[in-house]
Amino acid sequence: MTAPVERGPAGSATARPVPADAPADAPADAPAPASGDTGGAAAGRLGAGVWTALVVVYVVWGSTYLAIRIAVETMPSFLSAAARFLTAGLLLAGFVAVRHGRAGLRVDARQLGSAALVGLLLLTGGNGLVVLGETSVPSGLAALLVAAVPLWMVLLTAAGGERPGRAELTGVLLGLVGLAVLSAPAIGGSIAPAGVVAIICATLTWASGSYASKRIPMPGNVFASSAYQMLAGGLGNLLIGLARGEERGLRPGDVSTRSWLALAFLVVFGSLVAFTAYAWLLRSAPLTLVATYAYVNPVVAVLLGWLVLAEPLTGPTLLGGAVVVAGVCLVVSVSRGSGRKPAGKPAGKSVREPVREPDRG
């Protein structure tokens, strides 16, 4: 994995940047842990910056499900996602250019391609499908379905050569049972099945993007990387929205004030603040620790959906959500406590990838 070191205008290496909301003493120069490291030990070495970024992702992303649900009341799904990420990407790119000059945005072709791929997986396939799903699925249920992301991460890391333990596999199976319970209303016809399927597909693409981001050469400046991901994801959403004909009959005057406010919240907090914090966490903290957001977000989302939109708390939702969260807790706690043993590597030994700086220019 590439160590996130930023290049200044003169080509000198500087510490990687931290999210704008992180405290000044955040450990920006802490090395990113290898995937084989013990999550608990790595977490113990991480400072206030990591925990601040985690809290931001916990709370802000938990509230974005409510904001998405409000935005799509009077906005088309993929075009609203496109507006969100293109606006946020341009603002973030402008911030990087002002702070670091043109050198801050300079990347090579491989890094640009990697950022675009991750942006398409996370923000077009992942977020775009969630937005589409929330046109027919309550925000709380959507968040509970998205909680399955760490389960897919276990399967992806297993496919990549790291053997999950029995407890992790048990957690995956438990989570899949919870997803089946959550999907029961769709099978019964009370919720549109297409919306549930779209959100489950979104969890697969989001997990794939998160997994890929730790294994391909990303831009060294985390803000520039986030900007390129947002712009690529926004363009992907725009093309899909146009292909679906979402622009037909769309008039800005027909969009409600609360939908505009929800979109503004998604741009500023959901994208500029929380997504940048998430992108930084993927480089600065163990993947299994970062994945804990998936069982905090649903709690926030379900409570907000119930309080603000009076979304019903049905039996299948509560039971299935509890089962999914229990499975995710088991997966993450085991991964953090003992680490995974890479296939073909001696047990009990942690293998760290060599630290590499991004290419110059």
Side-chain angles (χ1 to χ4, degrees):
M1 111 188 31
T2 303
V5 178
E6 177 189 342
R7 287 286 172 190
S12 59
T14 59
R16 69 174 166 268
V18 298
D21 54 309
D25 60 349
D29 55 350
S35 58
D37 287 350
T38 300
R45 295 195 299 270
L46 299 173
V50 167
W51 299 110
T52 300
L54 273 174
V55 170
V56 168
V57 172
Y58 285 167
V59 177
V60 174
W61 268 358
S63 62
T64 57
Y65 293 95
L66 174 65
I68 290 172
R69 181 69 172 169
I70 294 174
V72 297
E73 287 177 346
T74 56
M75 289 182 175
S77 54
F78 280 99
L79 290 185
S80 68
R84 169 187 175 181
F85 292 117
L86 289 175
T87 302
L90 290 173
L91 289 173
L92 192 56
F95 168 78
V96 174
V98 170
R99 184 175 179 184
H100 301 289
R102 298 166 79 180
L105 293 171
R106 192 175 300 149
V107 294
D108 61 33
R110 291 184 63 200
Q111 292 171 334
L112 181 61
S114 296
L117 173 62
V118 172
L120 290 171
L121 288 171
L122 292 180
L123 304 179
T124 302
N127 189 272
L129 288 174
V130 168
V131 175
L132 178 64
E134 283 204 47
T135 59
S136 59
V137 174
S139 62
L141 176 57
L144 291 170
L145 290 168
V146 173
V149 165
L151 309 179
W152 307 133
M153 287 184 177
V154 170
L155 298 180
L156 287 171
T157 53
E162 297 181 12
R163 294 193 300 267
R166 290 183 179 178
E168 287 178 300
L169 291 176
T170 300
V172 171
L173 293 175
L174 191 62
L176 293 177
V177 170
L179 284 179
V181 175
L182 287 173
S183 302
I187 297 173
S190 58
I191 292 178
V196 173
V197 171
I199 294 173
I200 292 177
C201 290
T203 65
L204 288 168
T205 56
W206 185 276
S208 299
S210 299
Y211 179 81
S213 72
K214 296 181 76 72
R215 287 159 176 79
I216 56 180
M218 300 291 287
N221 185 321
V222 71
F223 291 118
S225 179
S226 296
Y228 288 129
Q229 290 175 54
M230 291 180 194
L231 291 173
L235 286 173
N237 283 312
L238 177 62
L239 292 175
I240 293 176
L242 294 176
R244 284 166 46 88
E246 291 184 351
E247 80 285 1
R248 296 182 193 135
L250 176 62
R251 293 184 298 179
D254 294 336
V255 178
S256 68
T257 300
R258 69 190 230 141
S259 287
W260 283 119
L261 291 175
L263 181 62
F265 175 87
L266 290 169
V267 169
V268 175
F269 295 98
S271 297
L272 291 176
V273 176
F275 183 75
T276 302
Y278 180 76
W280 182 75
L281 282 169
L282 286 174
R283 297 171 177 224
S284 308
L287 186 60
T288 48
L289 177 62
V290 179
T292 59
Y293 80 89
Y295 59 75
V296 177
N297 286 172
V299 176
V300 176
V302 169
L303 288 176
L304 287 176
W306 175 63
L307 288 172
V308 178
L309 299 180
E311 294 178 348
L313 298 178
T314 64
T317 298
L318 294 175
L319 176 61
V323 174
V324 169
V325 170
V328 173
C329 285
L330 180 59
V331 166
V332 174
S333 62
V334 171
S335 298
R336 291 179 61 193
S338 61
R340 296 190 186 93
K341 294 179 288 185
K345 300 289 193 302
K349 293 184 179 181
S350 174
V351 180
R352 181 177 294 275
E353 298 175 24
V355 175
R356 296 180 288 110
E357 293 183 357
D359 297 334
R360 291 178 181 271

